[in-house]
Amino acid sequence: METYTADQFNRCRTQLAPYVHRTPVMRSSQLDSLAGASLYFKCENFQRAGSYKIRGATNALLGLLEQGPVPAVVTHSSGNFAQALSLAARNVGIPAYIVMPSNAPEVKKEGVRAYGGKIRECKPTLEAREQESERVRLETGALFIHPSNDPMVLLGQGSACAELLEDVPGLAYVVAPVGGGGLLGGTSLAAAFSGTGCEAVGAEPRMVDDAYRSLQSGRIEGNTHTETVADGLRTVLGSYTFPVLRQYVKTIVRVEEAEIIRAMWLVWERMKIVIEPSSAVAVAGVLKDPERFRDRQVGIILSGGNVDLGRLPF
Amino acid sequence: METYTADQFNRCRTQLAPYVHRTPVMRSSQLDSLAGASLYFKCENFQRAGSYKIRGATNALLGLLEQGPVPAVVTHSSGNFAQALSLAARNVGIPAYIVMPSNAPEVKKEGVRAYGGKIRECKPTLEAREQESERVRLETGALFIHPSNDPMVLLGQGSACAELLEDVPGLAYVVAPVGGGGLLGGTSLAAAFSGTGCEAVGAEPRMVDDAYRSLQSGRIEGNTHTETVADGLRTVLGSYTFPVLRQYVKTIVRVEEAEIIRAMWLVWERMKIVIEPSSAVAVAGVLKDPERFRDRQVGIILSGGNVDLGRLPF
């Protein structure tokens, strides 16, 4: 596997800092009571473009710029990474092309346009996405950035956990949702590099528990169903993220759909903040496994807050 | 009218401080762009019991305790003050009786019980409320605290604005919603006592624009309709709050129902925080009157975040 060093990680953090918010850490006595633990919520829902994805997108872009001129960047995504890369590219004055399936919700397209991203529509198949990305690359010289399976993306995502560990010394665990594995991978590296003994724990919808099964089987597994309410976690691990999880992550807690929705409701109602279902997965994971977390100090990465308010699951 | 002094206000603030959160001030570049102004959001939705009401409730209670023993307190409210007084009383170890109409939503009753309040149900008429309050007073020796029309409640509510003015020097305006007038009255006193020249502005649903009309006519006006989505603002001014508004508030901006709902949506979607419709009235007021606020530094009191997530207006 790729080798990552604390020095490299810290260099990324320094480069990244001017482009991202240092998001606040929130507490909730009510959620603490429910969990029987002391919870520290890292609010990436307040991050620029509404999720932690701007961290990895920016880090990857800065990494490319160090190596030479970057005429443009391209990715295929209909989720948070699409907006994040659009904003990251605008911040450094580079065009971003976002390949999106023609049936992507209009609200997602508007989000991309609002951050200056150029949308290229394609048929809603993986093959069509990849063909269109390749076409953009040939036309414009754009460099491709993957939403999760990229060492620099992974390192960038870890900066959220690093900030949390600085702000809250003494965390026993940091819990992050796992989809493509960029956030959990980066989080586990940040925890390891911190030298504090803090352990990264993953949380995953049981309906798409490919990461859980991949750690069990020792190879990258897929999903047969992907209808989870946590739409950000439908993707699977990749060649860069899987080895990191295998080395640094011992535990992935799986949660049911009803538990995700309840956790989302609890955070909205008690903490008065808007989080997306994928973030609620991490909260549900902590509530699901009280023995593990009881009386400990536990960080939770609230990964994002981009939800369609007209289509809530409650 | 009652005379209020800066000394008295500052004494209240000091006494109050251990019982309330010093809530954060949030920014939003997207809302700034929409308003054409620099907005500073005082997040009382993150306050204990979910709204600024704990400030006035606590201050009134501490005031009573200074004068002698307080066997219990009683109020009639089915809104945020019910929960706030329950919590404030529990914090100082005194029973709180909350007279609520029998048709109050179960979620509100649960909120009161969760904070240790003792509910006394009555028929849903003002007469029945007052009779039941009187009965509780005779039975238990409880002292009555009004949700808004009380000098100590009013001074307590002003502490939110005072914190905001300390955290953000140079505000030209602070905008607060107006219902019973406790929050706007306290806010206007805090602005006046700050000596900064900051002006308090009210925001009110046009459907219940009694405060606007009261300032025009010079006497306390009522409302013929009260179906506004901003359920916290259906009450009218009282003998203590009206004179303060008359002396200190020059402007009340009136907003339509659709503008309230749009402002609520905007804050949820862009800022990722949960605010109740009454808070959205203040945001809508700023968006409604761009000439007044353009290029100025404007504080907005986000008064609370208690909404029934199962019954959203969008």
Side-chain angles (χ1 to χ4, degrees), chain B residues 204-209 225-234 254-265 277-278 280-281 284 288 313-314:
Chain B
E204 192 174 34
R206 184 182 295 269
M207 191 179 277
V208 290
D209 65 349
H225 302 283
T226 60
E227 300 83 27
T228 175
V229 66
D231 54 325
L233 307 182
R234 289 171 185 162
R254 293 177 298 170
V255 295
E256 307 300 334
E257 296 298 300
E259 292 168 332
I260 300 169
I261 294 170
R262 174 174 175 258
M264 184 168 157
W265 173 290
S278 301
V281 168
K288 178 94 178 214
F314 44 72

Side-chain angles (χ1 to χ4, degrees), chain A residues 13 16-26 41-59 80-81 83-85 87-88 91 115 155-164 167 183 273-276 279 301-307, chain B residues 26-30 267-273:
Chain A
R13 281 196 64 196
L16 203 53
Y19 298 98
V20 302
H21 288 322
R22 184 165 183 130
T23 53
V25 178
M26 286 186 77
F41 297 90
K42 176 66 170 169
C43 291
E44 290 290 295
N45 53 330
F46 296 152
Q47 187 52 267
R48 300 183 73 180
S51 86
Y52 71 93
K53 295 270 186 183
I54 185 76
R55 297 176 181 271
T58 304
N59 199 46
N80 285 334
F81 195 75
Q83 296 185 42
L85 187 64
L87 177 58
N91 286 339
Y115 291 115
L155 283 169
Q157 314 303 29
S159 60
C161 177
E163 291 173 7
L164 176 58
D167 289 348
L183 179 62
I273 59 176
V274 171
I275 61 167
E276 58 191 53
S279 305
I301 313 274
L302 295 179
S303 49
N306 292 331
V307 285
Chain B
M26 287 185 76
R27 308 285 324 265
S28 164
S29 52
Q30 293 184 75
V267 168
W268 286 43
E269 186 178 81
R270 308 291 168 92
M271 296 181 67
K272 316 297 184 192
I273 60 175

Side-chain angles (χ1 to χ4, degrees), chain A residues 121-136:
Chain A
E121 290 199 0
C122 68
K123 286 189 188 154
T125 67
L126 182 59
E127 199 187 2
R129 283 180 171 210
E130 287 175 351
Q131 281 176 357
E132 185 60 29
S133 300
E134 180 62 13
R135 194 171 301 132
V136 171

Side-chain angles (χ1 to χ4, degrees), chain A residues 203-244:
Chain A
E204 192 173 35
R206 184 182 296 267
M207 191 179 275
V208 290
D209 64 350
D210 57 287
Y212 176 89
R213 286 182 284 105
S214 299
L215 289 189
Q216 297 242 312
S217 71
R219 61 192 181 86
I220 297 174
E221 303 282 349
N223 295 306
T224 45
H225 302 284
T226 59
E227 300 83 28
T228 175
V229 66
D231 54 324
L233 307 182
R234 289 172 186 161
T235 47
V236 297
L237 302 180
S239 55
Y240 290 108
T241 54
F242 174 57
V244 174

Side-chain angles (χ1 to χ4, degrees), chain B:
Chain B
M1 82 180 249
E2 190 90 7
T3 342
Y4 302 92
T5 69
D7 270 1
Q8 178 192 22
F9 179 58
N10 291 331
R11 216 171 334 115
C12 288
R13 281 195 63 197
T14 308
Q15 288 191 329
L16 203 52
Y19 299 98
V20 301
H21 289 322
R22 185 167 183 127
T23 52
V25 177
M26 287 185 76
R27 308 285 324 265
S28 164
S29 52
Q30 293 184 75
L31 272 286
D32 281 4
S33 296
L34 279 170
S38 298
L39 308 182
Y40 296 84
F41 297 90
K42 175 68 170 169
C43 290
E44 289 291 294
N45 54 331
F46 296 152
Q47 187 50 268
R48 300 184 72 182
S51 86
Y52 71 94
K53 295 268 185 183
I54 186 75
R55 297 176 180 271
T58 304
N59 198 47
L61 199 43
L62 296 176
L64 291 175
L65 283 167
E66 269 186 3
Q67 293 165 32
V70 180
V73 288
V74 59
T75 196
H76 49 71
S77 161
S78 55
N80 286 334
F81 195 75
Q83 296 185 41
L85 187 63
S86 301
L87 177 58
R90 190 175 73 181
N91 286 340
V92 297
I94 288 173
Y97 294 91
I98 313 295
V99 176
M100 297 181 91
S102 50
N103 60 357
E106 190 53 36
V107 61
K108 300 270 183 188
K109 295 181 191 167
E110 274 167 31
V112 167
R113 282 188 214 109
Y115 291 116
K118 297 167 196 293
I119 296 173
R120 290 295 188 93
E121 291 199 0
C122 69
K123 285 187 188 155
T125 68
L126 183 59
E127 201 187 3
R129 282 178 172 212
E130 287 175 349
Q131 281 177 356
E132 186 59 30
S133 301
E134 180 62 11
R135 195 171 300 133
V136 171
R137 196 181 69 74
L138 292 172
E139 267 178 39
T140 68
L143 303 178
F144 181 78
I145 299 180
H146 190 279
S148 58
N149 196 41
D150 176 309
M152 290 299 275
V153 168
L154 194 148
L155 283 170
Q157 315 303 29
S159 59
C161 177
E163 291 173 7
L164 176 58
L165 291 171
E166 282 175 0
D167 289 348
V168 188
L171 290 182
Y173 296 100
V174 172
V175 183
V178 55
L183 179 63
L184 181 57
T187 299
S188 67
L189 284 176
F193 292 150
S194 74
T196 63
C198 173
E199 184 187 333
V201 168
E204 192 174 34
R206 184 182 295 269
M207 191 179 277
V208 290
D209 65 349
D210 57 286
Y212 176 89
R213 286 182 284 105
S214 299
L215 289 189
Q216 298 242 312
S217 70
R219 60 190 182 87
I220 297 174
E221 302 284 347
N223 295 307
T224 45
H225 302 283
T226 60
E227 300 83 27
T228 175
V229 66
D231 54 325
L233 307 182
R234 289 171 185 162
T235 48
V236 296
L237 302 180
S239 55
Y240 290 107
T241 54
F242 173 57
V244 174
L245 266 54
R246 212 175 168 193
Q247 179 166 354
Y248 291 104
V249 176
K250 284 186 287 191
T251 306
I252 291 180
V253 182
R254 293 177 298 170
V255 295
E256 307 300 334
E257 296 298 300
E259 292 168 332
I260 300 169
I261 294 170
R262 174 174 175 258
M264 184 168 157
W265 173 290
L266 277 173
V267 168
W268 286 43
E269 186 178 81
R270 308 291 168 92
M271 296 181 67
K272 316 297 184 192
I273 60 175
V274 171
I275 62 166
E276 57 192 53
S278 301
S279 305
V281 168
V283 180
V286 171
L287 296 174
K288 178 94 178 214
D289 195 358
E291 277 67 44
R292 181 183 311 275
F293 300 110
R294 178 161 299 136
D295 296 332
R296 309 300 297 270
Q297 294 199 291
V298 181
I300 296 178
I301 312 273
L302 295 179
S303 49
N306 293 330
V307 286
D308 184 344
L309 293 174
R311 298 185 60 186
L312 297 177
F314 44 72

